[in-house]
Amino acid sequence: MRQASELVRSERRWTAAVYREPRRAPSDGRLSIGVLPGEGIGPDVVAAALAVLAAVEAGGARFAVTTGGPIGRDAEVLAGKSLTEEVERFCDGVFQAGGAVLTGPGGSRFVYDLRRRFDLFVKLSPLRPFPALHEAGPLKGGGVAGTDILVVRENNGGEYLGEWDEVLDPRRGRVCRHAFHYAEDHVRRLLSVAAELAASRRGRLAVVIKDGGLPTVSALWRDLARDAAAASGVALRVLDIDLTAYLMMQAPLEFDVIAASNLFGDVLADLGAVLLSSRGLSFSGNFSESGAAVYQTNHGSALDLAGKDRANPIGQISSLAMLLRESFGLHREAGWIDEAVSEVLDFGFRTFDTAGPGTFVIGTEEMGRRIAARVERRARPNP
């Protein structure tokens, strides 16, 4: 069996642009993964991902998997807050062990509070459509073929981390106020990562603003974008959010790395799921400079699908592949997962959200089981 030091390989990965501190090596040879099943369809899609992880272990990697408590609205019902002290301690323990967290969806303020608590300042959302699904989504005719976009979102500033209140005005009724800011150090840190990632890919960086609507914030992002692009030697475009959204749908091949604020990055990553053909395929990783990482889908809890074996688990499974690659350097094992997903789709198996003529509609559990079986074929040594 290979040792953990051999498993944590040295190939360059996206997190090389983020981490500023060395990763802690596991003491017992097992790589730590903390799991938060989440709410709604979370337990369903996370169970499918864990079945795939078990198949990966057939290749020699060993994982210490621990499960944390409720998050999101489930946690609010039980404890009055969406991110509890119990879950904070759980995540901190995983990070202290050099591990990473895989989470299902959690509503309310969960993700925002989690990112602030652990300074998960950057979110990376890859948008790479599977060839088998080019005709499955609303954009047909080969318009998405060759798309390879990385959305780099600032996680710890802007509207989502602002201040808000509500007052009652005798004349106007309820008045809701919301204030936010962006500081130079927040923006510079994010854009430095985005530019370095662009330099390691195809050398093109698009930075998203809203010039007339947010004049001072936009000016700050534009000025710092020029600095970051010049320092990394990448080509820069600064675009308004509305034009960026249009071009992503109209001409996605124009984009390489897109850097955006918290709100704009959220919108663009979700919009990008149209390129993938379904929100059920979207996923991301959230990272701190110290090596903390939380991997998630970009879709919500889908409470109407919970427990019905109808949810698409591929986004959650792909987030697991991203975890193996970005937190542990397991490029081979992550590749097994990506290849297995592609093969299952190539054979025509679909969950209902991507079904079409000539395809075979299967449930959440079976999709996970089929992907896991193909991973295990790759993982097991030839007899």
Side-chain angles (χ1 to χ4, degrees), residues 288-306:
S288 77
E289 289 181 315
S290 65
V294 175
Y295 298 84
Q296 62 174 111
T297 62
N298 286 344
H299 60 68
S301 305
L303 298 175
D304 58 321
L305 300 180

Side-chain angles (χ1 to χ4, degrees), residues 52-58 333 336-338 340-341 370-380:
V52 173
L53 182 66
V56 168
E57 286 196 300
E333 288 82 350
W336 291 341
I337 297 174
D338 293 337
V341 172
R370 286 183 176 274
I371 294 169
R374 304 203 74 82
V375 168
E376 189 166 355
R377 290 184 191 179
R378 289 169 166 78
R380 288 199 180 280

Side-chain angles (χ1 to χ4, degrees), residues 206-221:
V207 174
V208 182
I209 61 173
K210 184 59 180 175
D211 230 346
L214 299 169
T216 58
V217 171
S218 296
L220 176 66
W221 278 75

Side-chain angles (χ1 to χ4, degrees), residues 26-50:
S27 59
D28 63 356
R30 296 190 302 164
L31 302 167
S32 177
I33 298 178
V35 175
L36 298 171
E39 61 188 27
I41 61 170
D44 302 336
V45 296
V46 167
L50 292 180

Side-chain angles (χ1 to χ4, degrees), residues 36-39 68-88 91 103-118 164 301:
L36 298 171
E39 61 188 27
I71 60 174
R73 297 178 186 88
D74 288 349
E76 281 189 332
V77 170
L78 295 172
K81 56 173 65 175
S82 58
L83 173 63
T84 65
E85 287 83 359
E86 175 194 354
V87 169
E88 286 187 39
C91 293
T103 182
S108 191
R109 293 284 304 173
F110 167 70
V111 290
Y112 311 122
D113 292 343
L114 182 73
R115 292 163 186 163
R116 176 161 49 188
R117 166 65 178 80
F118 293 103
W164 55 88
S301 305

Side-chain angles (χ1 to χ4, degrees), residues 139-151:
L139 301 179
K140 300 187 187 329
V144 302
T147 297
D148 182 0
I149 300 172
L150 183 62
V151 178

